[in-house]
Amino acid sequence: MTPERWQQVKRLFHDACERAPEEQAVFLDAACDGDVELRREIESLLAVHERAGDFMKQPAMNVAPADAEAEIEAGRLINHYRVERRIGAGGMGEVYLAHDTRLGRRVALKLLRAEFTRDGERVRRFEQEARAASALNHPNILTIYEIGRVDETHFIATEFVAGETLRASTSYPRACSGDI
């Protein structure tokens, strides 16, 4: 998809999202003007947004403690993933660049914060995040490789995509009730 096309998709997605669900089809008829691929792309984003429901409305960081735990050291093995370096953090966990020693590829390894591993609801939300993302197939959604647990460490292994985070980017679509 070209950058111009992505800008068009974002704009129309945002405009459609601002309309009541029963008005979206009429809006897309006019806005897409017979461009079937454009309409399919926007409808795909709207469907993902709708399926996410309440899951994405409250960011995990809104309910997480502000203090962070110690960083995982480079070289540590978590299952068959060798940690290289920390690349980010969120409300429920930290994300590390790691090397998948079995398949020889770089992955993003999200680890649930240690203080949450004894909280069944936090573990459930962490696993729900992986299941929700793995149920979707869209070029703008990371591929989930694995969800697992080693001792008390819960992790999600995903594809690694180099570049800026969505939070740092100003070029991604915004959903009506929050960011997608």
Side-chain angles (χ1 to χ4, degrees):
M1 181 179 301
T2 67
E4 295 80 20
R5 180 67 161 201
W6 178 237
Q7 292 301 320
Q8 181 183 23
V9 167
K10 286 189 327 181
R11 181 179 47 79
L12 292 176
F13 168 78
H14 182 70
D15 290 348
C17 191
E18 290 178 351
R19 289 164 169 71
E22 61 272 9
E23 298 172 1
Q24 290 175 349
V26 173
F27 167 75
L28 290 176
D29 285 341
C32 295
D33 193 32
D35 186 335
V36 175
E37 288 301 315
L38 177 61
R39 184 176 182 133
R40 186 174 299 137
E41 186 70 28
I42 296 165
E43 286 176 337
S44 173
L45 288 171
L46 288 169
V48 168
H49 173 63
E50 184 177 319
R51 280 193 305 258
D54 291 341
F55 172 69
M56 298 295 277
K57 285 188 179 173
Q58 183 179 10
M61 70 179 61
N62 288 355
V63 294
D67 59 326
E69 61 187 72
E71 191 171 314
I72 303 294
E73 67 279 358
R76 177 177 168 194
L77 271 177
I78 298 174
N79 203 5
H80 57 277
Y81 303 103
R82 184 176 315 282
V83 172
E84 293 181 9
R85 64 182 167 84
R86 183 174 178 260
I87 55 176
M92 290 179 60
E94 295 188 338
V95 181
Y96 292 86
L97 175 61
H99 179 78
D100 181 337
T101 60
R102 288 185 184 163
L103 296 175
R105 62 184 171 190
R106 296 175 104 188
V107 300
L109 196 61
K110 182 173 184 177
L111 306 179
L112 182 65
R113 292 187 192 278
E115 67 264 23
F116 297 148
T117 60
R118 292 172 293 284
D119 181 340
E121 178 61 20
R122 299 285 182 134
V123 171
R124 186 193 66 73
R125 284 185 61 198
F126 185 75
E127 292 173 351
Q128 178 185 16
E129 173 186 332
R131 285 188 191 94
S134 70
L136 305 172
N137 183 12
H138 191 276
N140 298 323
I141 298 174
L142 288 174
T143 299
I144 304 293
Y145 295 141
E146 179 180 10
I147 181 171
R149 178 179 172 185
V150 175
D151 299 320
E152 295 302 311
T153 303
H154 294 261
F155 67 89
I156 301 171
T158 71
E159 72 177 302
F160 171 72
V161 178
E164 67 183 345
T165 65
L166 285 178
R167 184 169 295 150
S169 172
T170 58
S171 62
Y172 66 97
R174 298 197 182 269
C176 299
S177 60
D179 294 343
I180 60 168

